[in-house]
Amino acid sequence: MFRNALSVLFFALALPAAAAPSPAPPPAQVIIVGLFHLDSPGQDMFNLQVDDVLSEKRQAELAGVAEGLARFGPDMVMVEWPAALVDELYGAHRAGSLPESRNEVVQLGFRLAAMQGLERVHGIDVAGEFPFGPVQAFAAAHGQGPKLEARLASMGKEVQVLNERIASGSIGSVLRYMNSPDRLQAHHGFYIDMLRFGEGDSQPGVALASAWYARNLGICARLLQALPPGGKAVVFYGEGHAHLLRQCVVEAPGVELVEANKYLPE
């Protein structure tokens, strides 16, 4: 028995020590900043009234927003433009040859990236459809026109609230209001409400919501593909996208959502 015990001990000592498991990399951190269009191009269903953001007052406010987000220490900035366009224009911006622009990609995305000394801004936008016409046609044909109009009217009221906030407050204060998690979720409710418009095999509301989700999944795919372990990214996107992008980040393994309002100024 003693000999057997010695044999077991010798065998155990002869085995190589098990390698210690590698420590898990730190989570990447992402801030999603939901925006309104600073240049008010009039391409959305509802459009805000925005004064000239090139004015001295608004430029100071935009600088304050970028400075606040810089405290997060981002090493990546992502924006709502296609990658090829961003690569071309950010290079011109860094070289000082980009014409003056009121667009939020330039005013916030490029500004923050240049402030951080980043050589690249990541354009992660994806084209998508917004098949709202079939929803309107279904509603009109099935006596649901008033219900749809009421839903649109409620969105119009929120646009008016934003117009008043923009006129009376700073850009930072408006962004803080817009990026409240509860408000972003309520704003996203429009797309879920569209599921009420359909019947049987005719489901235009499902088609609309599906197209919206598909576009945002494509955007988040590009976000995650560009994000290295331990990276710190600020993502600037239209506020309508913010809820789904936040959801994607929260559910992605190895990624942590950081609230924009921790860094946005009053």
Side-chain angles (χ1 to χ4, degrees):
M1 181 180 295
F2 180 69
R3 180 179 296 176
N4 289 341
L6 285 177
S7 297
V8 171
L9 177 61
F10 177 79
F11 180 73
L13 291 174
L15 289 174
S22 300
Q29 295 182 307
V30 177
I31 291 178
I32 306 292
V33 183
L35 298 175
F36 60 94
H37 291 302
L38 298 180
D39 56 353
S40 193
Q43 296 177 352
D44 295 327
M45 188 178 298
F46 296 96
N47 296 279
L48 297 175
Q49 299 169 4
V50 183
D51 55 297
D52 189 0
V53 297
L54 296 180
S55 69
E56 183 177 348
K57 172 179 179 291
R58 295 304 196 188
Q59 284 294 294
E61 293 171 1
L62 289 164
V65 171
E67 289 163 2
L69 292 167
R71 291 190 292 107
F72 169 61
D75 50 29
M76 302 184 76
V77 171
M78 304 185 186
V79 296
E80 190 179 355
W81 272 359
L85 179 63
V86 173
D87 290 344
E88 175 187 352
L89 296 188
Y90 183 58
H93 177 79
R94 295 191 75 198
S97 59
L98 185 68
E100 204 167 51
S101 172
R102 293 167 174 80
N103 189 279
E104 60 276 7
V105 168
V106 175
Q107 288 295 326
L108 285 172
F110 288 6
R111 186 191 297 261
L112 177 59
M115 186 179 294
Q116 293 298 104
L118 303 182
E119 295 186 0
R120 183 184 180 192
V121 172
H122 294 263
I124 59 171
D125 198 30
V126 177
E129 297 181 353
F130 192 77
F132 187 63
V135 174
Q136 292 175 302
F138 181 92
H142 292 80
Q144 292 182 301
K147 183 165 70 174
L148 182 58
E149 290 301 320
R151 190 67 179 88
L152 295 176
S154 69
M155 292 184 66
K157 289 179 181 178
E158 176 59 16
V159 169
Q160 186 56 40
V161 168
L162 285 175
N163 280 333
E164 292 169 1
R165 285 179 173 269
I166 291 168
S168 63
S170 69
I171 291 175
S173 69
V174 176
L175 293 182
R176 286 183 64 86
Y177 168 75
M178 291 173 64
N179 283 278
S180 160
D182 288 344
R183 183 190 173 278
L184 290 173
Q185 182 171 337
H187 190 68
H188 173 72
F190 170 82
Y191 300 99
I192 302 303
D193 209 19
M194 292 300 100
L195 300 180
R196 303 180 191 277
F197 296 93
E199 183 179 70
D201 292 334
S202 178
Q203 296 290 344
V206 171
L208 174 64
S210 297
W212 185 247
Y213 272 70
R215 182 182 174 198
N216 283 280
L217 284 172
I219 294 165
C220 194
R222 284 156 178 76
L223 187 164
L224 295 176
Q225 290 157 11
L227 186 67
K232 301 181 73 172
V234 173
V235 181
F236 292 105
Y237 243 84
E239 65 160 336
H241 301 271
H243 176 78
L244 288 180
L245 294 182
R246 286 166 57 90
Q247 177 181 322
C248 184
V249 167
V250 166
E251 295 177 356
V255 186
E256 175 184 303
L257 177 70
V258 177
E259 291 294 342
N261 282 354
K262 289 181 64 176
Y263 296 96
L264 290 172
E266 296 287 349

